[in-house]
């Protein structure tokens, strides 16, 4: 997503059916405390150490309280507390509050646990694409064996095999997910204990927000990790998690780094993609093949190289591609929830343009001073580590950032005990 990018309509319109359902059950607590990593101080009541006779859920909630207290202390003292030497220390204006984020990540690595349910068979469950535009889904699922030091096993069972195109219909997928939840809710105590609030699914496909439409009451507390993070299509910013789309070439863990120095970027903005959604239609109406500095193409002309054009532009069509190429993302959307927005201050390294101002794109971009652009580009290079995919995952990379978004949502509520 970047200059000339229509966030929701641009990225998430190809149908697919890979869903993964997890239980996440954190050794952690609090009484309905909303924890948003901003610069504001969050008050929390200290509690005594957990008596040994308390049940396991109570111990989890007490541990959560200690995690929150550690984060609050880091915000107040502008320092962190860790049992080991920290290889990376987040600092600077690209973060809403670097002290809170750093301590929160420390607490997550120390305490957060994720389990997968064993029920469900591929390709609907426990599998995702490892390459191309939906790759982050499959890479995240595949990484579950290594998440924060917890070894996981995914055992495959036969479950509603895909045999025809009709099997991909949204109504059938809604029934599959609803039936799956009922199976695990009847078999295990965890879903009913929390009403699904400590469960999440991962999907990078445009139908994913609609899986809960068939039974809104059943899924009202459920966390959905979605590439289609468009609130106009049912994404809930306070509950769901925005999953950054990563377009991986076969056998690679990231796009090529072809970004040129800032003095060798003759293209003001670049976009290339098919006419999916209303935002792209408006973009094409005003800019398709009409300008030498704002390059907008539905199809590249003969002899044009997509990767080279990305490296020569100041902005590009997808967030992760833009950041990897050292471009300042320019995001065109009214309803898109940006990835990792809980901790990253996107205003420091991206430009956001309302859909209504698409005709003014060039004027807006030319109105940004060279000095401001260079500062924003430098911040893009600093934030890039959070969008790098590693296998196995490493602290503060894209997998850990997704997990941290989930961790924050677990910090936002306490289970009765």
């Amino acid at each position: 997503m970047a200059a000339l990018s229509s966030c929701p309509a641009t990225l998430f319109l190809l149908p697919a059916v890979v869903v993964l359902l997890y239980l996440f059950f954190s050794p952690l607590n609090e009484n309905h405390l909303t924890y948003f990593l901003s610069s504001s101080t969050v008050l929390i009541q200290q509690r005594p150490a957990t008596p040994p006779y308390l049940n396991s859920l109570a111990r989890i909630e007490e541990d959560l309280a200690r995690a929150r207290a550690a984060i609050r202390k880091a915000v107040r003292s502008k320092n962190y507390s860790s049992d080991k030497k920290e290889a990376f220390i987040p600092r600077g204006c690209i973060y809403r509050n670097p002290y809170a984020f750093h301590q929160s990540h420390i607490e997550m690595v120390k305490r957060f646990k994720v389990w997968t349910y064993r029920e469900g068979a591929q390709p609907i469950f426990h599998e995702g694409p490892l390459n191309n535009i939906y790759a982050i889904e499959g890479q995240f699922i595949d990484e579950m064996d290594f998440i924060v030091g917890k070894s996981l096993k995914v055992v495959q069972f036969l479950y509603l095999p895909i045999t025809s195109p009709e099997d991909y219909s949204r109504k059938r997928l809604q029934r599959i997910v609803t039936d799956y939840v009922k199976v695990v809710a009847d078999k295990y105590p965890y879903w009913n204990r929390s009403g699904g609030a400590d469960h999440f699914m991962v999907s990078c496909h445009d139908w994913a927000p609609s899986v809960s439409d068939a039974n809104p009451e059943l899924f009202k507390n459920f966390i959905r990790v979605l590439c289609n993070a468009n609130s106009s299509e049912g994404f809930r910013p306070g509950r769901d998690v925005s999953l950054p789309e990563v377009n991986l070439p076969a056998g690679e863990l990231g796009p090529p780094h072809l970004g040129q120095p800032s003095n060798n970027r003759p293209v003001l903005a670049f976009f290339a993609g098919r006419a999916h959604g209303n935002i792209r239609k408006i973009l094409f109406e005003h800019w398709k093949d009409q300008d030498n500095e704002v390059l907008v193409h539905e199809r590249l002309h003969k002899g044009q190289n997509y990767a080279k054009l990305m490296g020569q532009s100041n902005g590009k069509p997808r967030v992760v591609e833009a950041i990897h190429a050292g471009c300042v993302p320019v995001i065109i959307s009214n309803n898109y929830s940006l990835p990792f927005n809980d901790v990253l201050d996107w205003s420091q390294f991206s430009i956001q343009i309302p859909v209504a101002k698409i005709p003014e794109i060039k004027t807006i971009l030319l109105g940004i001073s060279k000095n401001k652009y260079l500062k924003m580009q430098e911040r893009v290079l600093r934030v890039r580590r959070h969008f790098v995919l590693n296998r196995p995952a490493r602290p503060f990379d894209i997998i850990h950032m997704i997990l941290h978004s989930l961790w924050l949502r677990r910090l936002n509520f306490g289970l009765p005990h």
Side-chain angles (χ1 to χ4, degrees):
M1 198 98 34
L4 311 183
S5 172
S6 52
C7 293
T10 299
L11 299 182
F12 316 117
L13 292 179
L14 296 179
V17 292
V18 183
V19 177
L20 182 64
L21 186 69
Y22 294 100
L23 163 72
F24 76 85
F25 179 81
S26 312
L28 302 132
N29 164 293
E30 198 21 43
N31 333 327
H32 312 292
L33 173 67
T34 299
Y35 215 100
F36 184 80
L37 295 191
S38 67
S39 57
S40 59
T41 301
V42 180
L43 298 179
I44 178 173
Q45 181 179 359
Q46 296 281 2
R47 293 187 178 185
T50 307
Y53 57 81
L54 288 184
N55 61 40
S56 61
L57 182 56
R59 289 196 295 271
I60 289 170
E61 295 300 320
E62 290 291 343
D63 206 30
L64 262 172
R66 286 190 284 272
R68 290 195 183 95
I71 297 170
R72 192 195 85 164
K73 180 181 177 182
V75 171
R76 186 176 60 245
S77 65
K78 296 186 177 182
N79 204 346
Y80 68 91
S81 175
S82 178
D83 297 332
K84 59 184 180 63
K85 184 178 180 180
E86 294 294 307
F88 171 70
I89 300 176
R91 290 293 181 266
C93 64
I94 62 173
Y95 305 104
R96 293 182 180 274
N97 187 308
Y99 309 103
F101 172 45
H102 189 195
Q103 191 66 45
S104 180
H105 191 277
I106 291 171
E107 301 300 320
M108 178 193 76
V109 172
K110 184 172 19 177
R111 307 170 190 275
F112 196 41
K113 293 189 176 78
V114 178
W115 282 269
T116 62
Y117 283 115
R118 297 156 65 93
E119 288 69 22
Q122 300 173 349
I124 299 291
F125 301 96
H126 305 303
E127 183 182 56
L130 297 174
N131 301 114
N132 301 319
I133 62 173
Y134 299 138
I136 189 60
E137 174 188 290
Q139 294 288 345
F140 184 86
I141 292 170
D142 197 52
E143 180 65 21
M144 288 299 98
D145 283 342
F146 306 97
I147 282 180
V148 287
K150 179 67 178 178
S151 178
L152 305 168
K153 280 288 186 181
V154 176
V155 180
Q156 301 159 14
F157 289 83
L158 184 65
Y159 185 76
L160 295 176
I162 300 299
T163 59
S164 72
E166 288 73 25
D167 290 337
Y168 291 85
S169 72
R170 295 198 183 199
K171 286 187 177 180
R172 186 174 191 267
L173 292 169
Q174 288 172 348
R175 289 196 302 271
I176 288 173
V177 177
T178 299
D179 290 346
Y180 188 98
V181 169
K182 289 180 179 178
V183 167
V184 297
D186 288 343
K187 190 171 181 179
Y188 307 103
Y190 308 113
W191 180 280
N192 295 327
R193 183 186 66 184
S194 67
D198 55 355
H199 291 61
F200 68 95
M201 58 164 269
V202 178
S203 183
C204 198
H205 303 80
D206 68 321
W207 57 265
S210 67
V211 297
S212 55
D213 291 351
N215 195 333
E217 184 64 24
L218 179 65
F219 293 106
K220 67 179 180 181
N221 299 319
F222 187 45
I223 300 172
R224 301 168 305 172
V225 184
L226 308 172
C227 285
N228 190 352
N230 192 329
S231 59
S232 66
E233 297 182 27
F235 183 87
R236 305 162 300 174
R239 169 57 54 181
D240 297 326
V241 171
S242 178
L243 183 65
E245 183 181 276
V246 181
N247 190 357
L248 294 183
E252 301 291 336
L253 289 179
H257 283 202
L258 297 177
Q260 298 297 310
S262 58
N263 61 359
N264 189 28
R265 290 178 180 251
V267 179
L268 179 64
F270 167 65
F271 175 85
R274 290 180 291 178
H276 288 310
N278 293 328
I279 298 178
R280 284 192 180 187
K281 291 178 182 177
I282 299 171
L283 181 65
F284 288 159
E285 177 185 342
H286 289 278
W287 294 102
K288 179 181 174 183
D289 301 324
Q290 295 185 29
D291 195 274
N292 293 327
E293 292 182 293
V294 177
L295 303 183
V296 176
H297 305 297
E298 187 169 4
R299 297 179 185 277
L300 291 180
H301 303 305
K302 186 176 181 180
Q304 287 185 311
N305 182 290
Y306 180 79
K308 288 184 178 180
L309 282 170
M310 288 196 304
Q312 295 171 1
S313 66
N314 295 295
K316 300 196 306 303
R318 292 187 175 92
V319 166
V320 176
E321 286 182 348
I323 290 172
H324 275 262
C327 295
V328 176
V330 181
I331 300 157
I332 303 173
S333 176
N334 292 332
N335 304 296
Y336 178 66
S337 293
L338 290 161
F340 318 140
N341 194 41
D342 300 294
V343 296
L344 298 181
D345 186 349
W346 283 82
S347 69
Q348 298 294 324
F349 57 89
S350 71
I351 301 161
Q352 299 182 45
I353 298 178
V355 175
K357 293 192 175 182
I358 285 177
E360 305 171 42
I361 284 173
K362 187 171 183 178
T363 301
I364 292 171
L365 296 182
L366 289 175
I368 298 171
S369 69
K370 183 70 172 180
N371 184 56
K372 181 177 180 180
Y373 163 71
L374 291 175
K375 286 183 179 179
M376 296 182 80
Q377 188 192 35
E378 185 271 333
R379 294 165 189 159
V380 166
L381 299 179
R382 287 168 50 204
V383 85
R384 185 160 61 187
R385 69 160 54 239
H386 300 308
F387 293 89
V388 170
L389 177 65
N390 296 301
R391 301 298 310 274
R394 299 175 187 172
F396 299 100
D397 72 0
I398 194 169
I399 297 291
H400 271 243
M401 293 296 285
I402 296 167
L403 284 168
H404 187 261
S405 295
L406 287 161
W407 158 254
L408 289 180
R409 280 141 184 82
R410 181 59 178 95
L411 284 174
N412 282 351
F413 69 89
L415 295 176
H417 55 278

